[in-house]
């Protein structure tokens, strides 16, 4: 077994270490989510924590780590009699991002069921993690079905397995620790709220500290055992402090004053539900115990808020986690005198009602951009059905703010795919409803038990069966076929030319794209962003799982110049070609946001038509969001949709119920023709 990097040897990262230690003192705090850029010792610190955790007493031979002082009456290995147990180190169980459902919750022991004819349950990782640490690296990339199972276990403190004739319930209380890089995508709000605390980590910009990081890492790589021995004293001291804090924890008094500060802080920051209040109370109590005190102070409440509230302040997926510390201090000061657990003076001091400066709710200043009427001339068209070159505009305009996003209907890719599990289009997936069985192609991954037994049953006499178990040959095995939903690559191709630059219009366009990005976030899609304006097109964001990164690029999108529609389509086609090599199973959906004008380059209209027909020839699903406005409309976006063999919808129609299934309907019509 390899020697882990010592916890006390981690340089800096004070918030990360404190959050992990508080959970070691009081597992009821609810775990830690560690967010940060790559290479910041996130995984190193988490893996080192298990060495500091006190040993746990377990019932000998119990696979579910029952406490001998209070064994679980429903334990599958029970019943156990209360009595002496055996001590073992606290386990840290790692949940791989690509783990199967069977590996997480457990399943029927197929080998014993077929060979011996008995029902035997094989425990999963949730059983292994009971009374220990469950660590998920890159937790934001975890499949949705595994997230749902984690949510259930974390909420109930138990895992329930009802499948393949097996009905099992066992205790599963664990310290949930996750690490993630926000650049690769965000977490679902339901899972985000399950983490008690969150910390942001980043590499130090101080040269001396960076030098020390490199020095310690090189020393550890040269001789891990010797390096760990050098830090053994510090490790033992921290371990003893954790034990002492655990003993002191039941004696810590959380007075009415501190509780009022906690409640007032959560109310001031408008967090949803009551979990934040409970987590803050537990964290403040753990902070006091860690400091060796029996009273919770205002400083404990403040630190608890900084750890427990930032990830609960996000109102939508594109908000960065964070907390206004000035507002926090004002709230705590308003209820000062109550944070030290005294329980008196519950009325706030009238002298503290002066201006605090933490609200920040005033209107945003005017950005000095062009008025709403700017760019109106670009809506005029010439007799040829295309705008005159002079109408395209040549100057770059200040980026317009996006209008309020709205809920869109599903735009799905037709047919049945085989991509990564998600929530957009129909697909054959490893997880979902079982639709049938087939002979396995290659390695068997999901056994269809009933079909396998049915295939083997007629041959039992010929195979000389004499015992209870079935005689099963490889030819009898059947693979379960399942249908669920997949995530797609949603590639946005956005017209940022002068004809789109009228302030009101571009604000509405950005609001529509932002709404579609929100939908892509919820459906676990990858997204990309191609923009075209002036003399060419650029990839503003290569395909990524970080939908919020696309929202940031969209917000700063400049506009102005001619409309090189063909260049935008050709660049999008190239992005899809490269992405098909990297991720061939993920099907694309192209969303072109434009008014349909083409004014850039020679023969812009004909060239745009030829570029669009490339998508149609390859059967790429596409939607054109028609941004044309004004009393006179040329219908150019509709013509573009015809060339793409896709559909055209207006900005208003994105909200309509009729949007669902439009891509399938149009593609179905084309095939029928």
């Amino acid at each position: 077994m390899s020697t882990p990097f010592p916890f006390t040897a981690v340089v800096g990262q004070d918030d990360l270490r404190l959050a992990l230690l508080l959970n070691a003192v009081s597992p009821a705090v609810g775990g830690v989510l560690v967010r940060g850029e790559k290479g910041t010792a996130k995984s190193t610190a988490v893996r080192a924590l298990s060495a500091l955790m006190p040993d746990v007493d377990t019932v000998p031979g119990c696979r579910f780590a029952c406490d001998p002082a209070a064994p679980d009456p429903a334990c599958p290995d029970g019943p156990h009699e209360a009595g002496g147990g055996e001590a073992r180190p606290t386990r840290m169980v790692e949940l791989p991002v690509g783990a199967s459902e069977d590996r997480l919750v457990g399943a029927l022991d197929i080998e014993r069921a077929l060979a011996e004819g008995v029902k035997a349950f094989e425990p999963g990782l949730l059983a292994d993690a009971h009374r220990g640490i469950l660590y998920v690296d890159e937790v934001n990339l975890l499949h949705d079905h595994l997230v749902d199972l984690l949510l259930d276990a974390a909420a109930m403190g138990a895992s329930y397995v009802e499948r393949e004739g097996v009905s099992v319930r066992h205790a599963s209380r664990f310290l949930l620790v996750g690490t993630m890089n926000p650049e690769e995508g965000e977490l679902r709000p339901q899972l985000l709220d399950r983490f008690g605390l969150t910390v942001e980590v980043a590499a130090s910009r101080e040269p001396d500290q960076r030098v020390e990081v490199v020095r310690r890492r090189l020393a550890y790589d040269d001789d891990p055992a010797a390096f760990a021995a050098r830090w053994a004293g510090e490790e033992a001291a921290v371990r003893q402090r954790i034990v002492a804090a655990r003993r002191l924890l039941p004696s810590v008094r959380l007075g009415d004053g501190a509780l009022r500060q906690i409640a007032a802080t959560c109310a001031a920051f408008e967090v949803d539900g009551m979990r934040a209040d409970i987590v803050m109370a537990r964290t403040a109590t753990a902070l006091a115990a860690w400091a060796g005190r029996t009273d919770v102070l205002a400083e404990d409440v403040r630190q608890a808020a900084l750890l427990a509230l930032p990830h609960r302040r996000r109102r939508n997926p594109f908000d960065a986690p964070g907390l206004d510390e000035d507002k926090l201090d004002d709230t705590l000061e308003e209820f000062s005198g109550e944070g030290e657990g005294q329980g008196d003076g519950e009325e706030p001091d009238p002298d503290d009602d002066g201006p605090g400066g933490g609200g920040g709710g005033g209107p945003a200043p005017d950005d000095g951009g062009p008025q709403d009427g700017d760019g109106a001339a670009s809506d005029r068209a010439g007799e040829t059905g295309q705008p005159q070159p002079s109408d395209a505009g040549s100057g770059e305009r200040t980026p317009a703010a996006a209008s309020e996003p709205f809920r869109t209907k599903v735009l799905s890719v037709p047919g049945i795919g085989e991509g990564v599990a998600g929530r957009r289009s129909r697909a054959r997936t490893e997880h979902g409803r079982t639709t049938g069985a087939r002979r396995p192609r290659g390695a068997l991954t999901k056994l269809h038990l009933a079909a396998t037994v049915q295939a083997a049953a007629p041959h039992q006499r010929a195979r000389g069966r004499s015992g209870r178990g079935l005689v099963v040959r490889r030819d009898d095995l059947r693979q379960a076929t399942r249908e669920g939903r997949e995530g797609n690559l949603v590639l946005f191709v956005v017209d940022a030319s002068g004809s789109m630059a009228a302030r009101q219009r571009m604000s509405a366009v950005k609001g529509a794209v932002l709404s579609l990005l929100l939908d892509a976030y919820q459906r676990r899609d990858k997204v990309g962003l191609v923009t075209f304006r002036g003399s060419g097109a650029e990839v503003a964001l290569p395909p990524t799982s970080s939908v919020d990164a696309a929202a940031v690029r969209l917000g700063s999108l400049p506009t102005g110049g001619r409309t090189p529609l063909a260049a935008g389509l050709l660049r999008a086609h190239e992005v899809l070609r490269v992405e098909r090599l990297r991720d061939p199973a993920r099907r694309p959906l192209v969303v072109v946001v434009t008014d349909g004008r083409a004014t850039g380059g020679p023969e812009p209209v004909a060239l745009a038509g030829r570029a669009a027909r490339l998508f149609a020839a390859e059967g790429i699903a596409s939607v054109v969001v028609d941004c044309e406005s004004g009393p006179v409309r040329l219908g150019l976006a509709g013509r573009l949709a015809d060339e793409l063999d896709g559909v055209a919808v207006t900005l208003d129609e994105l909200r309509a119920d009729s949007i669902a299934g439009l891509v399938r309907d149009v593609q179905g019509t084309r095939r029928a023709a």
Side-chain angles (χ1 to χ4, degrees):
M1 180 177 179
S2 61
T3 303
F5 193 91
F7 185 86
T8 52
V10 175
V11 179
Q13 310 297 9
D14 295 337
D15 288 343
L16 169 59
R17 292 190 294 169
L18 177 62
L20 292 172
L21 290 170
L22 292 177
N23 276 273
V25 171
S26 176
V29 166
V32 186
L33 174 63
V34 187
R35 299 165 46 92
E37 58 196 27
K38 52 189 176 294
T40 49
K42 300 188 298 294
S43 301
T44 299
V46 173
R47 291 190 173 97
L49 176 67
S50 60
L52 298 179
M53 300 287 284
D55 291 348
V56 295
D57 291 330
T58 61
V59 173
C62 178
R63 298 174 296 168
F64 301 88
C66 279
D67 185 351
D72 181 7
C75 176
D77 284 354
H80 305 300
E81 294 184 2
E86 58 182 14
R88 64 164 174 78
T90 298
R91 289 176 179 167
M92 190 188 75
V93 177
E94 293 195 41
L95 173 60
V97 170
S100 66
E101 183 178 340
D102 291 349
R103 186 70 187 97
L104 179 62
V105 301
L108 177 69
D109 189 332
I110 298 296
E111 182 177 348
R112 292 191 62 190
L114 295 178
E116 303 175 23
V118 298
K119 290 183 180 180
F121 179 70
E122 185 70 23
L125 295 177
L126 289 179
D128 293 341
H130 179 46
R131 304 177 65 203
I133 303 170
L134 181 61
Y135 171 48
V136 188
D137 194 13
E138 305 293 353
V139 64
N140 51 322
L141 303 182
L142 198 64
H143 288 308
D144 277 353
H145 69 285
L146 298 182
V147 170
D148 293 335
L149 293 170
L150 276 182
L151 290 177
D152 290 341
M156 298 183 293
S159 176
Y160 293 83
V161 183
E162 298 281 349
R163 54 189 305 174
E164 297 166 342
V166 174
S167 179
V168 173
R169 175 262 179 209
H170 64 83
S172 183
R173 293 182 295 276
F174 46 82
L175 168 59
L176 181 60
V177 181
T179 57
M180 59 174 284
N181 184 347
E183 295 177 356
E184 297 173 338
E186 284 293 347
L187 276 177
R188 286 170 51 189
Q190 296 94 326
L191 183 57
L192 197 63
D193 189 50
R194 289 295 179 188
F195 287 97
L197 310 179
T198 185
V199 291
E200 295 277 342
V201 296
S204 173
R205 299 300 184 257
E206 292 293 330
D208 290 343
Q209 195 172 74
R210 296 176 74 96
V211 166
E212 186 61 23
V213 170
V214 175
R215 182 181 290 122
R216 293 186 186 183
R217 185 68 211 189
L218 293 178
Y220 171 77
D221 290 341
D222 288 342
D223 192 341
F227 184 81
R230 284 168 44 195
W231 291 89
E234 288 83 349
E235 293 280 288
V238 172
R239 191 179 299 109
Q240 293 171 3
R241 188 176 175 184
I242 292 174
V243 173
R246 282 190 171 189
R247 290 173 180 165
L248 183 62
L249 187 65
S251 303
V252 176
R253 187 165 62 94
L254 183 67
D256 289 343
L259 277 173
R260 285 179 62 83
Q261 280 191 314
I262 290 170
T265 300
C266 293
F269 284 99
E270 300 179 346
V271 296
D272 295 331
M274 295 298 298
R275 183 173 284 115
D277 303 62
I278 296 171
V279 170
M280 274 190 65
R282 290 171 174 166
T283 305
T285 304
L287 281 162
W290 178 248
R293 290 186 268 102
T294 56
D295 284 321
V296 174
L297 306 180
E299 62 193 62
D300 299 325
V301 176
R302 186 182 192 279
Q303 184 65 59
L306 292 175
L307 293 173
L309 295 188
H311 60 304
R312 295 183 168 91
R313 284 276 300 136
R314 301 183 70 198
R315 313 316 297 177
N316 68 64
F318 306 141
D319 291 339
L323 211 62
D324 184 341
E325 295 194 32
D326 290 336
K327 182 176 180 179
L328 173 61
D329 291 335
D330 290 342
T331 303
L332 294 176
E333 184 179 353
E334 182 179 351
F335 289 83
S336 62
E338 305 175 58
E340 298 183 6
Q342 301 302 317
D344 55 355
E346 294 187 0
E347 294 297 325
D349 189 344
D351 295 336
D352 291 339
D353 289 338
D366 185 79
D367 60 7
Q371 300 300 311
D372 289 348
D374 284 0
S378 64
D379 286 339
R380 297 192 303 266
E383 296 178 358
T384 62
Q386 292 288 332
Q388 299 301 314
S390 59
D391 290 333
S394 58
E396 184 173 310
R397 301 170 187 266
T398 304
S403 62
E404 190 69 20
F406 52 86
R407 187 173 183 83
T408 66
K409 296 299 180 180
V410 183
L411 299 171
S412 60
V413 178
I416 300 180
E418 296 182 350
V420 176
R423 296 190 167 191
R424 183 172 295 278
S425 306
R426 293 175 59 201
R428 287 181 288 269
T429 62
E430 289 293 317
H431 310 278
R433 63 185 182 90
T434 300
T435 58
R438 60 172 174 80
R439 293 180 182 273
R441 304 186 190 102
L444 179 69
T445 56
K446 289 289 182 181
L447 179 72
H448 194 297
L449 183 59
T452 299
V453 172
Q454 186 176 6
H459 308 291
Q460 296 306 295
R461 180 175 297 179
R463 293 173 182 174
R465 174 184 171 184
S466 58
R468 295 177 59 190
L470 285 174
V471 180
V472 180
R473 302 282 188 259
R474 181 172 182 80
D475 289 344
D476 301 327
L477 298 179
R478 294 295 183 268
Q479 172 86 25
T481 57
R482 300 185 177 186
E483 183 176 310
R485 293 278 170 177
E486 67 177 359
N488 297 110
L489 167 59
V490 182
L491 182 60
F492 294 94
V493 185
V494 180
D495 183 349
S497 64
S499 66
M500 297 280 290
R503 201 133 191 90
Q504 273 186 323
R505 175 191 280 188
M506 201 60 198
S507 178
V509 167
K510 287 188 176 182
V513 177
L514 188 63
S515 302
L516 291 168
L517 283 171
L518 280 166
D519 183 66
Y521 165 80
Q522 294 164 350
R523 302 189 184 282
R524 316 302 286 175
D525 294 317
K526 287 179 75 171
V527 297
L529 179 62
V530 173
T531 65
F532 57 95
R533 56 184 286 272
S535 59
E538 64 174 348
V539 181
L541 183 72
T544 175
S545 297
S546 180
V547 179
D548 52 342
V552 172
R553 302 293 173 87
L554 178 70
S556 60
L557 179 66
T559 57
R562 293 179 178 272
T563 311
L565 177 58
L569 295 175
L570 291 173
R571 180 58 62 92
H573 188 269
E574 176 63 16
V575 169
L576 294 183
R577 185 190 68 80
V578 174
E579 191 63 20
R580 193 178 298 120
L581 298 175
R582 295 174 178 167
D583 194 356
R586 191 183 291 266
R587 297 186 294 163
L589 173 65
V590 177
V591 180
V592 185
V593 185
T594 181
D595 55 11
R597 291 171 168 82
T599 61
E603 299 184 356
V605 178
L607 188 58
R610 289 198 295 271
R613 287 191 288 276
L614 290 175
F615 292 82
E618 296 178 13
I620 298 172
S622 58
V623 176
V624 178
V625 179
D626 184 359
C627 302
E628 192 174 26
S629 61
V632 179
R633 303 196 179 196
L634 304 177
L636 301 177
R639 298 180 201 171
L640 175 62
D642 291 340
E643 297 282 5
L644 289 166
D645 205 3
V647 294
V649 297
T650 65
L651 291 174
D652 291 337
E653 288 173 337
L654 278 176
R655 307 171 186 262
D657 292 338
S658 60
I659 291 298
L662 277 178
V663 177
R664 278 197 305 273
D665 292 345
V666 170
Q667 293 281 342
T669 301
R670 179 175 65 83
R671 286 193 296 270

